[in-house]
Amino acid sequence: MIKVGINGFGVIGRRVAYAISKQDDMELLGIGKTSPDYKAKIGIEKGFNFYVPEDSHKQKFEKSGFSVSGSIDDLINNSDIIVDATPGSLGEMYREKYLNAKTPALFQGGESKDLAEVSFVAQCNYEKSNGKNVVRVVSCNTTGLSRVLSSIDKNHGISKVTSVIARRAVDPDLPKGMVDSVSLDPVSVPSHHGPDVTTILPELDIVTMAIKIPTTHNHVHSLIIDLKNSSTTPDSIIDTLKNTPRVMLVSSKNGVKSTAHTFDLGRELGRDRGDIYESMVWEDSITVIGDRAYMYMAVAQEAIVLPENVDAIRSVLQTAPREESIKKTNDSLCIGGPTS
Ligand code: NAD
């Protein structure tokens, strides 16, 4: 059993904890957390062990009637691998700790690419993380784009990609108040997403622009893809995406017309927290005019990187080859479709 420690128990860390506890080759050793809030309470009821950064945090936990299992340093030393899901700014500090303890670590997409030796999306570059010490599971948008674009490039050839991203302003659990604006995020072009995709697909010519909109559920991409193969048809792209792991085709013909519907779809599927782990592409948006393809894609920001975190553990520790890991992860999270 691989002993996994998770540092940070927010939007991503909580979901990774759930996903790890579903793997038959992994044991969730414990979770690094700073505050004894309702999330810690429910975690303790589920049998999770919590570790804290400082003595002051330990006192806060004990004052609330929660016991802690040790310090985050203990967790780091006793784990085979750490999944770091702390806020973006802490990566540099924790990286030192992980390296000193000789415990390999996965960081998340909020960290700079330079913090890690490799950026990771399972179906694109699984083997590159084999035996590495520090790996970055890329952000939700980069994961969503990389899956879809790598497959379209492989099957139809891409000469250039443009994506305009309408981004959720905040996550649903953040009480940041009402947002009554469309915020250019950033004003300058490109947004960071396109360059980030090239950490996974270095040959891809991609430009992204992003605006934040007053919603909490899902990002939506308007994708414009210049194709090398001018005989590509919408049906052939649909066929390609049907055969791409972790891509879900949705359709307005079945009533999926907005992010309200993609959000509801996750709950209707009976997934944990209503999470959707796949890149969702609207089948009936896929259009080809000349040598240019157009489509809309939604990304459930809280969930899409979960399977990648699980696969990255097996890749770093070299306990399973790509296809076997993707299959194990998919089966455990009820993700259907192909695995290679
Ligand atoms: P979050 O703020 O929801 O959670 C961060 C957690 O870390 C919290 O539980 C916080 O209490 C804890 N923490 C704070 N300081 C700590 C410390 N010193 N030691 C240990 N834990 C500490 O953040 P998040 O949204 O889960 O994001 C985590 C990472 O995942 C970021 O890099 C982010 O960019 C990336 N990411 C986020 C999303 C998303 O949509 N939220 C999607 C993909 C990737």
Side-chain angles (χ1 to χ4, degrees), residues 115-147:
L115 194 77
E117 294 159 276
V118 187
S119 294
F120 182 89
V121 173
Q123 65 210 59
C124 300
N125 65 356
Y126 183 91
E127 293 76 14
K128 272 197 174 172
S129 296
N130 287 176
K132 292 286 188 287
N133 293 310
V134 186
V135 168
R136 182 179 69 121
V137 173
V138 292
S139 74
C140 48
N141 284 310
T142 304
T143 302
L145 283 168
S146 298
R147 288 179 188 159

Side-chain angles (χ1 to χ4, degrees), residues 290-315:
D291 55 6
R292 194 168 275 175
Y294 302 84
M295 66 196 71
Y296 292 113
M297 173 179 77
V299 168
Q301 78 277 355
E302 301 164 292
I304 192 169
V305 298
L306 245 78
E308 312 305 320
N309 273 281
V310 177
D311 288 331
I313 291 171
R314 296 196 190 98
S315 169

Side-chain angles (χ1 to χ4, degrees), residues 94-236:
Y94 273 120
R95 182 178 186 273
E96 279 311 301
K97 283 183 180 283
Y98 305 145
L99 287 174
N100 288 340
K102 297 193 169 24
T103 304
L106 307 181
F107 283 96
Q108 306 303 313
E111 300 292 348
S112 143
K113 70 176 173 50
D114 301 325
L115 194 77
E117 294 159 276
V118 187
S119 294
F120 182 89
V121 173
Q123 65 210 59
C124 300
N125 65 356
Y126 183 91
E127 293 76 14
K128 272 197 174 172
S129 296
N130 287 176
K132 292 286 188 287
N133 293 310
V134 186
V135 168
R136 182 179 69 121
V137 173
V138 292
S139 74
C140 48
N141 284 310
T142 304
T143 302
L145 283 168
S146 298
R147 288 179 188 159
V148 167
L149 295 175
S150 61
S151 189
I152 294 179
D153 190 29
K154 192 167 142 204
N155 289 283
H156 309 283
I158 292 180
S159 55
K160 187 167 188 63
V161 178
T162 309
S163 182
V164 180
I165 311 169
R167 305 186 60 194
R168 62 91 177 93
V170 292
D171 285 323
D173 65 342
L174 281 186
K176 282 200 178 160
M178 305 291 280
V179 187
D180 181 15
S181 70
V182 174
S183 161
L184 310 182
D185 185 41
V187 174
S188 57
V189 177
S191 67
H192 71 274
H193 308 90
D196 204 35
V197 170
T198 64
T199 66
I200 302 292
L201 307 172
E203 308 299 326
L204 196 71
D205 185 353
I206 177 167
V207 175
T208 49
M209 301 166 76
I211 54 174
K212 268 190 191 163
I213 53 167
T215 179
T216 61
H217 298 299
N218 298 185
H219 305 293
V220 173
H221 292 243
S222 305
L223 269 167
I224 301 162
I225 304 172
D226 290 352
L227 299 161
K228 286 183 185 156
N229 182 347
S230 54
S231 61
T232 303
T233 61
D235 281 347
S236 64

Side-chain angles (χ1 to χ4, degrees), residues 16-92:
V16 174
Y18 157 80
I20 298 300
S21 58
K22 293 225 151 190
Q23 306 308 311
D24 62 11
D25 55 343
M26 297 182 194
E27 173 195 345
L28 177 58
L29 193 68
I31 296 156
K33 181 146 177 47
T34 50
S35 52
D37 55 13
Y38 68 94
K39 300 169 209 166
K41 181 173 185 295
I42 295 169
I44 286 168
E45 284 164 8
K46 281 186 177 160
F48 296 160
N49 299 314
F50 285 95
Y51 293 75
V52 291
E54 315 264 349
D55 256 3
S56 60
H57 299 113
K58 186 174 176 214
Q59 285 158 18
K60 274 204 258 170
F61 267 72
E62 289 175 347
K63 231 174 161 179
S64 303
F66 306 147
S67 61
V68 297
S69 301
S71 68
I72 287 186
D73 288 337
D74 297 332
L75 180 65
I76 296 169
N77 284 320
N78 294 328
S79 298
D80 295 325
I81 189 162
I82 291 282
V83 179
D84 186 297
T86 60
S89 54
L90 297 178
E92 201 69 58

